[in-house]
């Protein structure tokens, strides 16, 4: 597939996948207190991301706006990030595992206009408001406990599922991804849509991923690429910010349950899984 003959917006892979494989599982992850497995199809993920995009647009969020996202790995995270891609907004993604001080500094340097996060992230915003002073819109994923803003559910409740796909250029910003900080202060890396598309083609050529394969997504951000290949992302029951503390039994269970064909994760994970 030639990336030059198609739209430059990296989000295009989701509607393409939903059209080709509407019933294929796009994301599977354990959810809720009982940690039961929940699966979301390509069609469901496409509709959800369109509603989120429309809901966020209703706040007045414009193309190029930076949006800080603090949501656990799973279908909701993928839907939110693809919704932002569709709008031409720029998700700012930082690993909470880098530590509080570094994380707050990363948020401050990212200068987001919007914060989309779970209640814990919203509480951090209240307690450390100086680091979030650039934020004008607050969207809680889950229950809102009195702080200002709205909830994601309220935004999408009446939002249409009509297709959304901004006509962005390959050199326009797509995301800001922060390094882990393991070799120095975390640094925000500006990704363009063209860079993401080039990575998709490089990964396709190197690993020959095929539609229908299953990725055991031990590094959540890598799962963003799975949509481009028509793969299923399986998020195991683990704290992605603390890979060295993962339960190897849960990693193996997820791999066997869904028949994983590939996985990407920290060496700290495999040091626990392989002996097990």
């Amino acid at each position: 597939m030639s990336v030059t003959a198609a739209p430059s917006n990296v989000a295009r892979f989701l509607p393409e996948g939903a059209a080709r494989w509407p019933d294929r599982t796009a994301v599977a992850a354990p959810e809720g207190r009982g940690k039961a497995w929940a699966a979301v199809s390509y069609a469901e993920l496409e509709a959800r991301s369109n509603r989120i995009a429309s809901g966020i647009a209703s706040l007045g969020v414009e193309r190029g706006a930076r949006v800080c996202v603090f949501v656990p790995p799973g279908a909701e995270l993928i839907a939110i990030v693809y919704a932002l891609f569709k709008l031409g907004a720029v998700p700012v993604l930082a690993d909470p595992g880098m530590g509080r001080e570094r994380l707050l500094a990363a948020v401050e340097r990212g200068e987001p206009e919007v914060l989309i996060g779970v209640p814990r992230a919203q509480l951090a915003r209240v307690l450390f408001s100086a680091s979030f002073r650039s934020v004008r819109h607050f969207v809680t994923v889950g229950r809102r406990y009195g702080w200002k803003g709205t909830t994601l559910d309220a935004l999408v409740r009446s939002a249409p599922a009509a297709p959304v796909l901004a006509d962005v250029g390959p050199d326009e910003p797509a995301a800001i991804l922060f390094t882990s900080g393991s070799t120095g202060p975390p640094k925000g890396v500006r990704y363009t849509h063209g860079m993401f598309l080039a990575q998709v083609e490089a990964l396709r050529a190197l690993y020959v991923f095929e539609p229908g394969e299953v990725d055991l997504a031990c590094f959540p951000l890598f799962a963003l690429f799975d949509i481009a290949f028509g793969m299923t992302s399986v998020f195991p029951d683990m704290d992605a910010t603390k890979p060295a503390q993962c339960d190897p039994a849960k990693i193996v269970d997820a791999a066997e349950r869904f028949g994983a064909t590939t996985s990407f994760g920290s060496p700290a994970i495999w040091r626990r899984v392989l002996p097990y």
Side-chain angles (χ1 to χ4, degrees):
M1 180 183 295
S2 171
V3 299
T4 57
S8 297
N9 194 322
V10 68
R12 68 179 172 86
F13 292 114
L14 181 51
E16 289 175 1
R20 294 181 66 185
W21 315 290
D23 298 325
R24 175 176 293 167
T25 297
V27 182
E31 296 181 354
R33 290 185 178 182
K35 295 294 184 179
W37 284 92
V40 175
S41 71
Y42 269 80
E44 291 169 333
L45 189 65
E46 163 69 357
R48 178 70 173 174
S49 70
N50 283 333
R51 289 192 175 96
I52 293 173
S54 296
I56 294 173
S58 71
L59 295 175
V61 176
E62 299 179 349
R63 182 164 155 178
R66 295 182 179 184
V67 182
C68 197
V69 181
F70 287 120
V71 177
E76 197 76 300
L77 173 63
I78 302 299
I80 290 169
V81 173
Y82 267 84
L84 296 174
F85 288 159
K86 288 179 175 185
L87 282 176
V90 183
V92 179
L93 304 171
D95 181 3
M98 68 175 62
R100 188 182 71 188
E101 296 303 322
R102 288 184 168 187
L103 182 63
L104 292 174
V107 171
E108 190 168 355
R109 288 198 300 275
E111 298 183 322
E113 298 177 32
V114 185
L115 171 62
I116 302 177
V118 294
R120 186 176 178 182
Q122 300 291 349
L123 178 60
R125 180 260 300 176
V126 172
L127 295 176
F128 307 101
S129 57
S131 296
F132 295 87
R133 58 178 174 268
S134 63
V135 178
R136 297 185 294 110
H137 303 287
F138 308 93
V139 181
T140 302
V141 179
R143 184 176 177 182
R144 185 169 63 90
Y145 293 92
W147 45 69
K148 61 183 179 179
T150 185
T151 66
L152 187 66
D153 284 343
L155 276 182
V156 304
R157 191 171 294 129
S158 58
V164 177
L165 193 67
D167 185 17
V168 299
D171 295 328
E172 289 191 52
I176 295 178
L177 309 180
F178 277 85
T179 60
S180 64
S182 58
T183 58
K187 295 169 284 293
V189 180
R190 179 181 178 273
Y191 272 71
T192 65
H193 283 269
M195 289 168 65
F196 273 123
L197 292 175
Q199 285 184 315
V200 167
E201 293 307 304
L203 289 168
R204 192 193 308 276
L206 181 62
Y207 294 109
V208 199
F209 291 132
E210 296 183 357
E213 290 199 51
V214 178
D215 173 30
L216 182 64
C218 294
F219 181 67
L221 290 184
F222 191 80
L224 294 173
F225 290 108
D226 293 342
I227 298 296
F229 304 119
M231 297 170 67
T232 295
S233 301
V234 175
F235 291 97
D237 184 4
M238 62 172 285
D239 184 346
T241 68
K242 300 175 181 178
Q245 298 178 22
C246 71
D247 182 344
K250 292 180 178 179
I251 304 296
V252 172
D253 173 71
E256 293 183 336
R257 183 185 298 264
F258 292 92
T261 57
T262 187
S263 185
F264 188 87
S266 165
I269 296 172
W270 311 125
R271 292 191 188 103
R272 292 180 65 84
V273 171
L274 293 180
Y276 174 86

